[in-house]
Amino acid sequence: MRDPVYTYCREILPPSVVEHATSLNFTRPGACNLALARGNLLEVYEVGLVMKKSDDEVPSAEYEYRDAGAEEFDLPMIREDQTAPGQRSKNTKQPQLHLIGRWSLHGKIMDLRAVQRGKAQGVDRLLLSFAEAKMSLVAFDADTQTIATESIHYYEHDALKQRTFNDSQTCDLRTDPEGRCAALRLYDDQLAVLPFAAPGDLTAAKPYADSFVVNLRDAGIG
């Protein structure tokens, strides 16, 4: 009997192109976070303000040279004030990105959206869609300083493929601005809907309800 053959894939270089981005309060209440998707990599940054000298002064060594391991990036195109360079005060604040975490996920991220949970909870969640016709709801664990998967929803079923004329997986992800649900379009004419608990509802056992799939052709859409 022959030995089974396994597929082995080794990543030589990590993805470098940012394909998707969104802003949210992810790590703590009141935080201004930026989530980036680079292939199968998920990066979360926090936007902070640092003191910067005026443009006509030479930056100090502390500002000009930073620790490379700190993963901090200055944003010179974004300023707290909109005054002319000659009218700015000597000490102004400039936005800076500070890396909170970088995680390698199992599968390419096709889209990501912020799930607003309201001011009662203070933090948002991230909803990710993947090429394998699935979406995942993740939150940030402040104790371990890493992401935690709250739910994974698979839609790569033969029953769904047999009802469609297109096998392509679009994986377009949209969320309701009021935080009531999310929708994932797959196989061109299938729509997976994931309802959420009401924003600010602390009595819900879990932040989501059971998902369901709607055939757009049967509903007369598209």
Side-chain angles (χ1 to χ4, degrees):
M1 182 177 180
R2 286 188 175 183
D3 295 333
V5 179
Y6 298 96
T7 301
Y8 179 76
C9 177
R10 180 180 181 184
E11 187 179 76
I12 305 299
L13 295 173
S16 58
V17 177
V18 176
E19 298 175 290
H20 306 282
T22 187
S23 60
L24 72 168
N25 298 329
F26 188 60
T27 57
R28 56 183 174 81
C32 181
N33 296 120
L34 175 66
L36 304 179
R38 305 172 184 262
N40 68 322
L41 289 181
L42 174 65
E43 297 179 341
V44 175
Y45 294 85
E46 183 169 349
V47 182
L49 296 176
V50 296
M51 298 302 298
K52 179 185 181 299
K53 299 294 184 179
S54 59
D55 294 340
D56 55 352
E57 295 184 12
V58 179
S60 64
E62 180 182 359
Y63 176 82
E64 187 174 2
Y65 302 102
R66 300 187 184 276
D67 182 10
E71 296 283 0
E72 295 179 348
F73 306 93
D74 295 328
L75 306 177
M77 300 303 295
I78 305 176
R79 297 185 181 276
E80 187 184 28
D81 54 17
Q82 300 297 327
T83 56
Q87 300 176 352
R88 295 193 185 105
S89 60
K90 292 185 178 180
N91 294 324
T92 59
K93 292 183 179 180
Q94 175 171 306
Q96 182 183 89
L97 289 179
H98 174 69
L99 180 66
I100 300 298
R102 179 186 292 120
W103 300 275
S104 178
L105 307 182
H106 298 285
K108 181 180 179 180
I109 302 173
M110 302 300 293
D111 205 351
L112 79 165
R113 299 286 171 172
V115 179
Q116 309 292 336
R117 299 306 303 152
K119 296 182 179 180
Q121 291 178 298
V123 292
D124 304 326
R125 291 173 172 82
L126 265 177
L127 188 64
L128 310 173
S129 67
F130 296 89
E132 295 81 11
K134 68 178 182 180
M135 57 181 170
S136 177
L137 185 66
V138 299
F140 186 78
D141 190 334
D143 295 332
T144 60
Q145 290 293 299
T146 187
I147 56 175
T149 302
E150 293 190 337
S151 66
I152 301 179
H153 307 268
Y154 296 92
Y155 303 100
E156 197 174 20
H157 306 307
D158 292 336
L160 296 179
K161 295 180 181 181
Q162 294 173 359
R163 298 184 60 188
T164 181
F165 297 98
N166 193 345
D167 290 336
S168 63
Q169 300 176 5
T170 54
C171 296
D172 291 333
L173 187 62
R174 297 293 185 269
T175 54
D176 177 40
E178 298 183 4
R180 294 171 296 186
C181 66
L184 175 66
R185 185 172 182 179
L186 39 86
Y187 304 121
D188 193 46
D189 57 1
Q190 304 288 331
L191 190 69
V193 180
L194 178 64
F196 296 127
D201 184 6
L202 303 179
T203 61
K206 55 185 180 180
Y208 61 92
D210 294 337
S211 64
F212 56 92
V213 178
V214 177
N215 187 290
L216 299 180
R217 295 183 183 273
D218 294 345
I221 304 174

